[in-house]
Amino acid sequence: MITEDQKKAFKEVLGSHYTAKVRAILKEQGVKDTFGKTHSARMITQVFNGETAHVLIEDAIVTAVEQQLQENKKIERKKQKLINSLT
């Protein structure tokens, strides 16, 4: 289950529109709900907020955070490279 501290840290990395990122990962991993569909944004939000426990969705959230951190580092390197080329 996601704790309050984890929720705050994950939200800071992912931003407010995180459900699309998590759904994409769930879809990529082939994780479905009991009806054979991708989990709803509401379910993802409930897991993210610690209201519901779901191991596979929690793993997808952690994966989304890891991917976003890598993307943030990549963007920072590009910015730094651009700054260095201007000076």
Side-chain angles (χ1 to χ4, degrees), residues 37-49:
K37 297 181 180 182
T38 304
H39 287 281
S40 67
R42 180 176 168 88
M43 179 64 173
I44 293 167
T45 301
Q46 288 175 341
V47 173
F48 193 93
N49 290 331

Side-chain angles (χ1 to χ4, degrees), residues 37-81:
K37 297 181 180 182
T38 304
H39 287 281
S40 67
R42 180 176 168 88
M43 179 64 173
I44 293 167
T45 301
Q46 288 175 341
V47 173
F48 193 93
N49 290 331
E51 298 168 10
T52 305
H54 193 291
V55 175
L56 297 175
I57 295 176
E58 290 173 23
D59 288 344
I61 292 169
V62 171
T63 301
V65 171
E66 290 172 340
Q67 288 178 356
Q68 189 62 52
L69 285 172
Q70 289 175 356
E71 183 66 25
N72 292 351
K73 286 179 184 179
K74 184 178 173 183
I75 291 169
E76 283 303 315
R77 284 192 301 267
K78 284 182 178 181
K79 286 180 186 177
Q80 191 60 44
K81 185 176 178 182

Side-chain angles (χ1 to χ4, degrees), residues 20-32:
K21 295 173 186 174
V22 175
R23 279 184 95 179
I25 292 168
L26 290 170
K27 194 172 192 177
E28 180 181 297
Q29 294 175 347
V31 177
K32 306 280 185 188

